Amino acid sequence: MLKALGGAKGETGGVSKGAVSDKLLPWVEKYRPKKVTDVAHQTEVVNALRKTIETGNMPHLLFYGPPGSGKTSCILAAAKELFGPIYRQRVLELNASDERGIQVVREKIRRFAQGLVRGKPAEAADYPCPPFKIIILDEADNMTSEAQAALRRTMETYCRVTRFCIICNYISRIIEPLASRCAKFRFQTVGDEAHKQRLLSIQKSEGLTMDEDAVEALMKIADGDLRRSVTLLQSASTLYGSHVSKAAVVEVAGHVPDQTVSRLIEACRSETFDEMKEEITEIQAMGYQCSQMLEQLMMAMLRFPNLQNIPKAVLLCVTFPTIDQRLTEGADETLQLLSLCMGIREVFAKSKMLRQ
């Protein structure tokens, strides 16, 4: 009797522990699509993967597109629908940005690829379980050219028992011999409606309340990156409680408030250098990232009306990229921001829009 009670207590404790760990999961993982059909806004890819699941016939795949558009979620959901409980035995997932050298291809990938595939086990009787394994290479555009060339040979050698899914943001960084061996699927930026519905679904599941402008702010800051918006939503709810406001979203994102950007642009229209310098000093004292300010300034200047076309084009296509490169190389942020603002001021001067 005591043993039975002890066992029950242990089981209860185990369930509680599991429930707690589930609550502590990052929401990106917690709400990752479980089925291919749950993936938002990628109709073409979803249809192709559904046929793969139905037929059990899958080519090598190359998924490319912007971050947070569902590339990894798609193939993980498909793999789980294909293999069910033996998913871990049949799928190898690697982040190629961490493990990107030729040695990884020669050892880890080849070792997994050459392993024999056993017949369908009893526990996976309800799943297709095709006679191959899947190797998922995430962020493969960070792999060296030598590693990609070695991977090409591995794909050819073990194609009978292994399928590869190569995931990247920039397809131009994948060597052509590798890309030509894959069925290519382009992932689009998640549309506003699908993006909004997913955020509202998470809000409801987590018992949050959220202002309408907070939802808009999440989508604007994430710029189509669903993963980023979900992470920001979790951060905002963790720091500010169950009610998420626009101010909370802007704060956790490190986003520069629109009025701050507008003040800096107005300072650039001043005829005095001191006003512009004071505004830059104040912004830096707030601790905003210079790269973030650069991005928001560029978008603001892109939308700014009545500027002369040629000076505006030079500013957006030459000055901004030059400043960005200098910052990447470690140049002083204050000097670069001053240089950029002088470039903006010059555009206003040529457009005869300086304030008197």
Side-chain angles (χ1 to χ4, degrees):
M1 181 69 176
L2 288 173
K3 285 183 179 179
L5 287 172
K9 184 178 179 181
E11 288 173 8
T12 304
V15 171
S16 175
K17 186 177 179 181
V20 171
S21 63
D22 186 57
K23 287 181 180 179
L24 295 177
L25 268 178
W27 289 359
V28 170
E29 297 300 328
K30 186 177 179 180
Y31 294 103
R32 190 184 287 277
K34 302 295 188 294
K35 296 181 179 180
V36 170
T37 49
D38 295 337
V39 176
H41 199 68
Q42 308 297 343
T43 308
E44 180 185 349
V45 187
V46 167
N47 290 339
L49 288 177
R50 282 178 61 192
K51 290 179 181 177
T52 293
I53 294 166
E54 290 169 5
T55 62
N57 184 21
M58 188 178 100
H60 298 305
L61 300 172
L62 174 57
F63 291 171
Y64 65 98
S69 54
K71 300 184 294 294
T72 305
S73 294
C74 244
I75 189 59
L76 289 178
K80 287 173 182 175
E81 287 191 68
L82 282 171
F83 301 118
I86 62 167
Y87 162 81
R88 294 292 176 192
Q89 302 169 29
R90 293 287 189 93
V91 178
L92 174 66
E93 184 183 0
L94 294 174
N95 191 310
S97 63
D98 296 327
E99 302 175 277
R100 62 200 186 108
I102 193 170
Q103 203 63 26
V104 173
V105 176
R106 286 175 174 168
E107 294 178 3
K108 188 177 290 188
I109 294 177
R110 186 171 294 176
R111 191 185 311 120
F112 184 82
Q114 67 189 7
L116 295 175
V117 176
R118 299 175 182 176
K120 183 190 292 189
E123 65 266 28
D126 296 332
Y127 294 86
C129 286
F132 56 76
K133 297 164 291 183
I134 298 176
I135 296 178
I136 302 170
L137 290 175
D138 209 346
E139 299 186 33
D141 42 356
N142 289 314
M143 291 179 73
T144 62
S145 298
E146 293 79 7
Q148 291 187 40
L151 181 61
R152 178 196 64 184
R153 294 191 291 273
T154 303
M155 289 171 68
E156 291 172 345
T157 305
Y158 304 108
C159 62
R160 288 183 177 274
V161 291
T162 305
R163 300 292 185 273
F164 285 81
C165 180
I166 298 169
I167 301 173
C168 64
N169 294 334
Y170 306 103
I171 193 172
S172 59
R173 296 181 185 173
I174 303 297
I175 62 173
E176 181 56 32
L178 192 61
S180 64
R181 285 166 170 76
C182 303
K184 303 180 190 69
F185 292 96
R186 180 176 63 86
F187 280 67
Q188 305 170 25
T189 300
V190 179
D192 287 347
E193 188 57 35
H195 201 150
K196 184 175 182 179
Q197 290 306 315
R198 187 55 59 92
L199 290 175
L200 292 177
S201 172
I202 293 173
Q203 171 207 340
K204 184 177 179 181
S205 298
E206 294 294 330
L208 305 176
T209 57
M210 191 158 47
D211 297 337
E212 182 65 29
D213 58 355
V215 180
E216 298 299 326
L218 280 169
M219 293 193 296
K220 178 183 176 182
I221 293 170
D223 193 24
D225 186 339
L226 187 55
R227 177 173 57 233
R228 186 181 181 195
S229 63
V230 171
T231 302
L232 288 175
L233 178 58
Q234 182 177 13
S235 300
S237 67
T238 301
L239 292 173
Y240 294 96
S242 59
H243 179 74
V244 178
S245 64
K246 179 182 178 180
V249 171
V250 170
E251 185 66 29
V252 297
H255 197 72
V256 184
D258 292 340
Q259 57 267 32
T260 302
V261 177
S262 298
R263 282 204 316 270
L264 181 56
I265 291 175
E266 279 301 305
C268 292
R269 293 181 61 193
S270 171
E271 289 192 340
T272 63
F273 175 79
D274 290 342
E275 183 178 342
M276 184 174 66
K277 176 68 170 64
E278 287 173 9
E279 192 64 41
I280 290 173
T281 303
E282 185 177 335
I283 288 172
Q284 289 196 307
M286 296 176 187
Y288 295 117
Q289 280 190 331
C290 194
S291 58
Q292 181 65 41
M293 174 59 79
L294 197 71
E295 179 184 335
Q296 291 182 236
L297 269 175
M298 186 175 74
M299 296 307 299
M301 292 306 298
L302 181 64
R303 295 189 294 264
F304 205 95
N306 303 323
L307 295 174
Q308 285 190 8
N309 286 333
I310 299 300
K312 182 177 180 179
V314 171
L315 175 71
L316 295 173
C317 300
V318 178
T319 308
F320 272 99
T322 301
I323 298 296
D324 185 49
Q325 182 182 4
R326 290 173 184 168
L327 288 171
T328 303
E329 293 171 350
D332 183 81
E333 290 190 356
T334 304
L335 289 177
Q336 295 311 309
L337 201 50
L338 280 169
S339 177
L340 175 61
C341 288
M342 287 303 296
I344 293 174
R345 185 183 183 281
E346 186 177 349
V347 173
F348 283 128
K350 289 180 178 178
S351 303
K352 299 180 180 178
M353 295 179 66
L354 290 178
R355 286 189 287 109
Q356 299 298 323

